[in-house]
Amino acid sequence: MTAGSTVSVVSNISGSAACRGNVLCVRPSPPSSMTCGTTPTPLKAPDWQSLEDVSYINHADASFGQDYMRTSEALMMPVLRTLTRTAKPILQSSVCGCQALVTQTRFIGFSPRQVPSDASFHSVSFSETDHPRVLITGGLGQLGVGLAKLLRKQYGKNNVILSDIRKPPDTVFYSGPFIYSDILDYKNLREIVVNNRISWLIHYSALLSAVGEANVPLARAVNITGLHNILDIAAEHGLRLFVPSTIGAFGPSSPRNPTPDLCIQRPRTIYGVSKVHAELMGEYYHYRYGLDFRCLRYPGIISADSQPGGGTTDYAVQIFHDAIKTGRFECNLKPDTRLPMMYIEDCLRATVELEVVYKTDPVRQAIADSWPMNFDDSNASKDWGWKHEYDLPELVTTMLNHLNAEAVAVQAS
Ligand SMILES: NC(=O)C1=CN([C@@H]2O[C@H](COP(=O)(O)OP(=O)(O)OC[C@H]3O[C@@H](n4cnc5c(N)ncnc54)[C@H](O)[C@@H]3O)[C@@H](O)[C@H]2O)C=CC1
Ligand SMILES: CC(=O)[C@H](N)C(=O)O
C-alpha cells in the first residue's frame, strides 16, 4: 500500500450478515521536501503520485474459502505495516539535514487557524533515532485498546498514549499511558501533542452510524469539527495522521456488489457523510499542505474483548456474546441483509443453536440496505500482497473459544 493513496481493506465474509471492508490508505508525504530553511520547498513531483495514481483498494469478500475474516488485531496489521514501512524512509531521508530545527523554527507561534493559503507543512517532526510517539484519540472504543497493545509491543509502552473523554477501566489505565483528550478542545489537543512530542496521530474518535443518527448535532461536531481540529493539529506539528473510514462512506447509489474503491459515494447518514468528508479533507491536506494522511476503509469489525460503540454492524459482535450468554439473539436487521464484514453462512452455522429473533430496527435497516454488500479487494492484493489471515471458521472458532474461556474464568472467580 503506497502512502498518499486511498485504499480499502476488507476482511470479507459475505452472507446474510457478512461484511467487507474498505481501507483507504494515503501515501506518505514527501520526505523532507517541505521545508528547508524558512522557505517552503515546492512538492517534488517524483515523491508524489498524481491524483490519478491514488488507489482505492477494497478488501473484498467473495465466497467462503477465498475470503477471510480478521479479528480486530489482525485488521490493524495493514495499518501498522503501512505506518512502519513508510516511517523508515522518511526518518532516514535527510534532504536538508536540518529537519527538526527547521520544523521548530517554521512553526513557532503558528496557528493553523491562520494558515496562509500557500502554506506547506513539514511531514516529520521526530528524529531518526526516535520511535514514533503515538497518540490515539477515542482510544477507549472497540478498536483503540487493541491497537495500542500492538503498537506498544513494537514501539514501547510509553510511546503510545491512549486518549478519550471517558474514564479508563483499571486494565487500560495500568497498561500504559492514558490521557484525557476531547478532540473538540483544540488547545487541549495542541498541549497534549506538544508536551508529549507526539509524531503519529491515530484518530479513532467518532460517533458511529446508529448513535450518529440518534444525535446528528453531536455527530457533526465530533466527526466533522473534531476532524478539522485533528487535521490542523497534524498539519501544524508535522504529524503523521491515520483516520479510518468505513463501508458507511458509501450509500444507496454506490454499487453494492462489489463496491469498487473508486465509485460514487453519497451516503445518507451523518456518519457516512462525515467519513467521506474526512477522506476528502485528508487527501486535500495531503496535496495542499503535504500532510501525511492515511485512511483505511474498514468493514464492520468483530472483536471479542471490546464492545462495539453503536454502529449498524454491532449485531455481528453481539450475536457471539448472546450465543454464549443466553443462546438467544434478537437481531435488528433483516435476515437477508448482507454487509461487508463477514461471510455469515458459517457464522450462522456456528451459531446454529441460536434462536435468532429478527426484530428489525428501521433506522439501522435503512442504513444497512444502503451499504455495500461486497468489497473487491483485488487491488489491495496486487498493491501490497494483502491476504486475510482469518477465514470464517477460524474467526468463529476464535471468537467462541475466547468468549468461552472468559465465561469459565468468570464462573471460577
Ligand atoms: N468498529 C467498527 O466496526 C468500525 C470502526 N470504524 C472507525 O474506527 C474508529 C474507531 O472505531 P470504534 O473503536 O469502533 O469506535 P467506538 O465508537 O467504539 O469508540 C469511539 C470513541 O470515541 C470517543 N469520543 C467520542 N467523542 C469524543 C470526543 N469529543 N473527544 C474524544 N473522544 C471522543 C468515545 O468516547 C469512544 O470511546 C472510528 O473512527 C470508526 O468510525 C470504521 C469502520 C468500522
Ligand atoms: C461499519 C462501521 O463503520 C460501524 N461499525 C458502524 O456500523 O457504524
Side-chain angles (χ1 to χ4, degrees):
M1 181 164 66
T2 53
S5 60
T6 295
V7 184
S8 307
V9 291
V10 171
S11 47
N12 276 329
I13 297 178
S14 62
S16 32
C19 303
R20 290 176 161 206
N22 268 358
V23 179
L24 159 98
C25 147
V26 182
R27 37 185 103 123
S29 12
S32 58
S33 65
M34 305 306 298
T35 56
C36 192
T38 52
T39 312
T41 306
L43 303 182
K44 290 179 178 171
D47 290 328
W48 294 75
Q49 295 176 36
S50 66
L51 269 172
E52 294 75 46
D53 291 337
V54 172
S55 55
Y56 289 80
I57 301 182
N58 294 334
H59 268 247
D61 77 345
S63 57
F64 178 64
Q66 296 162 344
D67 290 354
Y68 42 85
M69 186 184 243
R70 295 181 295 169
T71 62
S72 57
E73 274 210 355
L75 193 75
M76 300 303 172
M77 291 316 294
V79 181
L80 291 177
R81 275 199 294 266
T82 306
L83 291 173
T84 307
R85 200 172 60 180
T86 53
K88 272 193 188 158
I90 291 176
L91 288 173
Q92 284 162 6
S93 68
S94 57
V95 167
C96 67
C98 55
Q99 237 169 256
L101 181 63
V102 168
T103 304
Q104 284 160 13
T105 307
R106 179 171 168 72
F107 290 115
I108 280 175
F110 167 79
S111 161
R113 307 306 182 185
Q114 301 144 16
V115 179
S117 61
D118 59 346
S120 293
F121 292 98
H122 200 287
S123 59
V124 176
S125 61
F126 48 99
S127 79
E128 279 189 28
T129 49
D130 283 344
H131 275 316
R133 299 270 303 159
V134 186
L135 176 67
I136 303 176
T137 68
L140 296 186
Q142 186 188 1
L143 306 183
V145 174
L147 180 66
K149 206 170 153 189
L150 287 178
L151 288 169
R152 282 171 179 160
K153 266 189 212 151
Q154 200 155 346
Y155 299 115
K157 187 169 90 169
N158 293 325
N159 286 322
V160 180
I161 302 174
L162 273 171
S163 71
D164 209 302
I165 53 172
R166 294 194 275 150
K167 195 170 151 189
D170 284 357
T171 45
V172 172
F173 190 71
Y174 293 112
S175 64
F178 175 86
I179 196 162
Y180 171 87
S181 172
D182 181 347
I183 58 160
L184 295 175
D185 184 343
Y186 187 82
K187 281 175 108 176
N188 169 247
L189 259 181
R190 173 146 68 178
E191 192 176 316
I192 290 168
V193 165
V194 168
N195 288 350
N196 294 283
R197 300 176 61 247
I198 296 302
S199 50
W200 290 4
L201 186 46
I202 296 178
H203 179 48
Y204 269 174
S205 303
L207 258 62
L208 303 189
S209 55
V211 291
E213 286 312 292
N215 192 341
V216 173
L218 185 61
R220 195 179 66 181
V222 173
N223 295 6
I224 297 180
T225 308
L227 173 89
H228 293 171
N229 287 342
I230 292 289
L231 284 167
D232 284 344
I233 287 283
E236 180 185 5
H237 297 279
L239 311 184
R240 177 167 306 210
L241 175 63
F242 174 78
V243 181
S245 187
T246 164
I247 52 172
F250 297 87
S253 50
S254 310
R256 290 191 73 203
N257 189 8
T259 302
D261 286 312
L262 279 172
C263 65
I264 197 162
Q265 287 179 266
R266 289 287 184 278
R268 291 197 182 159
T269 61
I270 186 65
Y271 177 61
V273 168
S274 72
K275 288 296 186 177
V276 175
H277 178 71
E279 293 179 8
L280 293 175
M281 286 296 283
E283 286 192 17
Y284 176 75
Y285 267 56
H286 172 67
Y287 288 107
R288 185 69 179 79
Y289 301 124
L291 175 69
D292 187 334
F293 172 81
R294 290 131 200 279
C295 174
L296 300 178
R297 293 193 192 113
Y298 290 162
I301 307 302
I302 298 176
S303 61
D305 52 7
S306 61
Q307 294 296 323
T312 305
T313 61
D314 289 11
Y315 70 93
V317 177
Q318 195 57 42
I319 194 170
F320 286 98
H321 291 272
D322 287 1
I324 295 301
K325 281 188 206 141
T326 63
R328 184 173 183 278
F329 179 65
E330 186 176 285
C331 188
N332 51 24
L333 295 179
K334 286 193 297 200
D336 59 348
T337 303
R338 293 178 78 246
L339 288 175
M341 175 169 50
M342 59 186 184
Y343 187 36
I344 201 71
E345 263 191 33
D346 273 0
C347 180
L348 291 177
R349 194 167 70 238
T351 53
V352 72
E353 300 307 324
L354 281 181
E355 255 192 344
V356 178
V357 177
Y358 292 99
K359 188 176 162 193
T360 308
D361 168 359
V363 175
R364 291 180 197 214
Q365 189 61 55
I367 295 170
D369 285 343
S370 74
W371 283 4
M373 296 163 71
N374 202 354
F375 266 167
D376 173 7
D377 66 351
S378 56
N379 287 334
S381 303
K382 271 187 249 150
D383 192 6
W384 81 92
W386 159 253
K387 195 173 181 326
H388 66 279
E389 289 173 358
Y390 287 75
D391 58 14
L392 181 60
E394 188 168 355
L395 183 143
V396 172
T397 306
T398 306
M399 286 292 292
L400 293 177
N401 285 347
H402 190 103
L403 295 173
N404 267 324
E406 263 181 14
V408 169
V410 168
Q411 273 167 14
S413 64

